Tab-separated table of all heavy atoms in Angstrom:
chain	number	residue	atom	x	y	z
A	1	VAL	N	-9.193	-11.868	-0.886
A	1	VAL	CA	-9.603	-10.470	-0.989
A	1	VAL	C	-8.492	-9.550	-0.485
A	1	VAL	O	-8.357	-8.415	-0.961
A	1	VAL	CB	-10.926	-10.231	-0.223
A	1	VAL	CG1	-11.294	-8.765	-0.170
A	1	VAL	CG2	-12.050	-11.047	-0.856
A	2	ALA	N	-7.680	-10.025	0.426
A	2	ALA	CA	-6.565	-9.217	0.942
A	2	ALA	C	-5.678	-8.701	-0.191
A	2	ALA	O	-5.055	-7.643	-0.052
A	2	ALA	CB	-5.741	-10.028	1.938
A	3	ALA	N	-5.643	-9.400	-1.307
A	3	ALA	CA	-4.817	-8.965	-2.444
A	3	ALA	C	-5.416	-7.770	-3.180
A	3	ALA	O	-4.743	-7.155	-3.997
A	3	ALA	CB	-4.604	-10.127	-3.414
A	4	PHE	N	-6.663	-7.415	-2.882
A	4	PHE	CA	-7.270	-6.228	-3.487
A	4	PHE	C	-6.679	-4.953	-2.883
A	4	PHE	O	-6.575	-3.920	-3.538
A	4	PHE	CB	-8.777	-6.166	-3.232
A	4	PHE	CG	-9.618	-7.238	-3.866
A	4	PHE	CD1	-9.098	-8.366	-4.463
A	4	PHE	CD2	-10.998	-7.111	-3.831
A	4	PHE	CE1	-9.905	-9.343	-5.018
A	4	PHE	CE2	-11.821	-8.073	-4.391
A	4	PHE	CZ	-11.279	-9.192	-4.979
A	5	TYR	N	-6.328	-5.022	-1.595
A	5	TYR	CA	-6.019	-3.814	-0.831
A	5	TYR	C	-4.770	-3.052	-1.260
A	5	TYR	O	-4.791	-1.812	-1.229
A	5	TYR	CB	-6.005	-4.126	0.667
A	5	TYR	CG	-7.400	-4.389	1.168
A	5	TYR	CD1	-7.895	-5.684	1.256
A	5	TYR	CD2	-8.247	-3.334	1.490
A	5	TYR	CE1	-9.191	-5.925	1.683
A	5	TYR	CE2	-9.538	-3.569	1.919
A	5	TYR	CZ	-10.015	-4.865	2.009
A	5	TYR	OH	-11.303	-5.093	2.416
A	6	PRO	N	-3.689	-3.696	-1.654
A	6	PRO	CA	-2.540	-2.874	-2.076
A	6	PRO	C	-2.884	-1.914	-3.215
A	6	PRO	O	-2.502	-0.737	-3.179
A	6	PRO	CB	-1.492	-3.915	-2.496
A	6	PRO	CG	-1.830	-5.122	-1.696
A	6	PRO	CD	-3.341	-5.123	-1.622
A	7	SER	N	-3.626	-2.388	-4.194
A	7	SER	CA	-4.014	-1.537	-5.315
A	7	SER	C	-4.997	-0.458	-4.878
A	7	SER	O	-4.884	0.705	-5.283
A	7	SER	CB	-4.626	-2.391	-6.424
A	7	SER	OG	-5.071	-1.593	-7.494
A	8	LEU	N	-5.961	-0.829	-4.050
A	8	LEU	CA	-6.943	0.150	-3.587
A	8	LEU	C	-6.261	1.265	-2.797
A	8	LEU	O	-6.555	2.449	-2.991
A	8	LEU	CB	-8.012	-0.546	-2.744
A	8	LEU	CG	-8.895	-1.550	-3.497
A	8	LEU	CD1	-9.731	-2.360	-2.518
A	8	LEU	CD2	-9.758	-0.863	-4.531
A	9	HIS	N	-5.334	0.898	-1.913
A	9	HIS	CA	-4.630	1.917	-1.125
A	9	HIS	C	-3.654	2.717	-1.990
A	9	HIS	O	-3.459	3.916	-1.754
A	9	HIS	CB	-3.922	1.280	0.068
A	9	HIS	CG	-4.876	0.851	1.133
A	9	HIS	ND1	-5.684	1.735	1.818
A	9	HIS	CD2	-5.178	-0.381	1.618
A	9	HIS	CE1	-6.424	1.066	2.681
A	9	HIS	NE2	-6.141	-0.214	2.583
A	10	LEU	N	-3.051	2.086	-2.981
A	10	LEU	CA	-2.194	2.820	-3.921
A	10	LEU	C	-2.995	3.923	-4.598
A	10	LEU	O	-2.564	5.072	-4.673
A	10	LEU	CB	-1.606	1.867	-4.961
A	10	LEU	CG	-0.916	2.495	-6.173
A	10	LEU	CD1	0.254	3.377	-5.752
A	10	LEU	CD2	-0.468	1.400	-7.134
A	11	ASN	N	-4.166	3.572	-5.089
A	11	ASN	CA	-4.994	4.567	-5.771
A	11	ASN	C	-5.395	5.693	-4.838
A	11	ASN	O	-5.350	6.869	-5.220
A	11	ASN	CB	-6.241	3.904	-6.351
A	11	ASN	CG	-5.909	2.976	-7.477
A	11	ASN	OD1	-4.771	2.865	-7.893
A	11	ASN	ND2	-6.911	2.265	-7.962
A	12	LEU	N	-5.798	5.327	-3.628
A	12	LEU	CA	-6.190	6.360	-2.675
A	12	LEU	C	-5.006	7.238	-2.296
A	12	LEU	O	-5.126	8.468	-2.220
A	12	LEU	CB	-6.823	5.725	-1.436
A	12	LEU	CG	-8.283	5.330	-1.652
A	12	LEU	CD1	-8.722	4.305	-0.624
A	12	LEU	CD2	-9.173	6.561	-1.615
A	13	GLY	N	-3.850	6.633	-2.064
A	13	GLY	CA	-2.668	7.427	-1.739
A	13	GLY	C	-2.322	8.392	-2.849
A	13	GLY	O	-1.992	9.560	-2.602
A	14	ASP	N	-2.423	7.932	-4.084
A	14	ASP	CA	-2.081	8.791	-5.214
A	14	ASP	C	-3.077	9.938	-5.381
A	14	ASP	O	-2.680	11.076	-5.601
A	14	ASP	CB	-1.988	7.972	-6.498
A	14	ASP	CG	-1.524	8.834	-7.648
A	14	ASP	OD1	-0.421	9.405	-7.566
A	14	ASP	OD2	-2.285	8.962	-8.637
A	15	VAL	N	-4.370	9.648	-5.243
A	15	VAL	CA	-5.341	10.731	-5.436
A	15	VAL	C	-5.266	11.727	-4.280
A	15	VAL	O	-5.365	12.949	-4.498
A	15	VAL	CB	-6.772	10.201	-5.677
A	15	VAL	CG1	-7.419	9.665	-4.427
A	15	VAL	CG2	-7.643	11.289	-6.313
A	16	TYR	N	-5.053	11.259	-3.063
A	16	TYR	CA	-4.873	12.199	-1.950
A	16	TYR	C	-3.626	13.053	-2.179
A	16	TYR	O	-3.616	14.254	-1.876
A	16	TYR	CB	-4.775	11.472	-0.614
A	16	TYR	CG	-6.116	11.126	-0.005
A	16	TYR	CD1	-6.429	9.814	0.348
A	16	TYR	CD2	-7.070	12.115	0.242
A	16	TYR	CE1	-7.647	9.500	0.928
A	16	TYR	CE2	-8.305	11.812	0.816
A	16	TYR	CZ	-8.579	10.503	1.153
A	16	TYR	OH	-9.793	10.195	1.728
A	17	ARG	N	-2.571	12.465	-2.717
A	17	ARG	CA	-1.352	13.223	-3.025
A	17	ARG	C	-1.667	14.332	-4.022
A	17	ARG	O	-1.287	15.486	-3.838
A	17	ARG	CB	-0.272	12.291	-3.591
A	17	ARG	CG	1.031	13.020	-3.973
A	17	ARG	CD	1.950	12.113	-4.776
A	17	ARG	NE	1.369	11.684	-6.035
A	17	ARG	CZ	1.313	12.424	-7.148
A	17	ARG	NH1	1.798	13.644	-7.167
A	17	ARG	NH2	0.769	11.940	-8.247
A	18	ARG	N	-2.382	13.982	-5.079
A	18	ARG	CA	-2.707	14.978	-6.105
A	18	ARG	C	-3.638	16.055	-5.576
A	18	ARG	O	-3.632	17.178	-6.068
A	18	ARG	CB	-3.302	14.295	-7.332
A	18	ARG	CG	-2.234	13.546	-8.111
A	18	ARG	CD	-2.754	12.921	-9.397
A	18	ARG	NE	-3.443	11.682	-9.084
A	18	ARG	CZ	-4.708	11.400	-9.404
A	18	ARG	NH1	-5.435	12.259	-10.083
A	18	ARG	NH2	-5.247	10.252	-9.069
A	19	LEU	N	-4.437	15.724	-4.565
A	19	LEU	CA	-5.327	16.709	-3.947
A	19	LEU	C	-4.612	17.527	-2.872
A	19	LEU	O	-5.202	18.441	-2.305
A	19	LEU	CB	-6.560	16.014	-3.350
A	19	LEU	CG	-7.550	15.465	-4.371
A	19	LEU	CD1	-8.563	14.556	-3.706
A	19	LEU	CD2	-8.229	16.608	-5.122
A	20	GLY	N	-3.361	17.188	-2.595
A	20	GLY	CA	-2.584	17.944	-1.617
A	20	GLY	C	-2.764	17.497	-0.182
A	20	GLY	O	-2.240	18.136	0.735
A	21	ASP	N	-3.477	16.407	0.054
A	21	ASP	CA	-3.675	15.879	1.410
A	21	ASP	C	-2.596	14.827	1.667
A	21	ASP	O	-2.829	13.618	1.573
A	21	ASP	CB	-5.078	15.294	1.551
A	21	ASP	CG	-5.435	14.944	2.983
A	21	ASP	OD1	-4.511	14.786	3.816
A	21	ASP	OD2	-6.641	14.821	3.267
A	22	LEU	N	-1.404	15.309	1.970
A	22	LEU	CA	-0.243	14.418	2.063
A	22	LEU	C	-0.302	13.494	3.267
A	22	LEU	O	0.230	12.380	3.207
A	22	LEU	CB	1.038	15.239	2.053
A	22	LEU	CG	1.229	16.116	0.802
A	22	LEU	CD1	2.585	16.803	0.833
A	22	LEU	CD2	1.032	15.320	-0.471
A	23	ASP	N	-0.947	13.900	4.348
A	23	ASP	CA	-1.071	13.006	5.504
A	23	ASP	C	-1.909	11.780	5.147
A	23	ASP	O	-1.519	10.643	5.440
A	23	ASP	CB	-1.685	13.737	6.702
A	23	ASP	CG	-0.735	14.743	7.319
A	23	ASP	OD1	0.501	14.594	7.152
A	23	ASP	OD2	-1.224	15.690	7.967
A	24	ARG	N	-3.042	11.999	4.499
A	24	ARG	CA	-3.874	10.856	4.082
A	24	ARG	C	-3.159	10.045	3.006
A	24	ARG	O	-3.276	8.816	2.978
A	24	ARG	CB	-5.233	11.330	3.594
A	24	ARG	CG	-6.147	11.696	4.729
A	24	ARG	CD	-7.570	11.844	4.249
A	24	ARG	NE	-8.425	12.103	5.381
A	24	ARG	CZ	-9.399	13.001	5.383
A	24	ARG	NH1	-9.657	13.703	4.292
A	24	ARG	NH2	-10.139	13.179	6.446
């Protein structure tokens, strides 16, 4: 399951970036 996390965090990082929440 640990292999799920890089993709999940990539998606979250990208959507937070697009929302302007650069710290998250």
Side-chain angles (χ1 to χ4, degrees):
V1 173
F4 294 11
Y5 289 95
S7 177
L8 295 169
H9 287 298
L10 168 60
N11 292 356
L12 280 160
D14 185 59
V15 74
Y16 277 125
R17 179 191 62 79
R18 287 184 280 123
L19 289 168
D21 190 340
L22 301 185
D23 289 336
R24 283 193 176 137

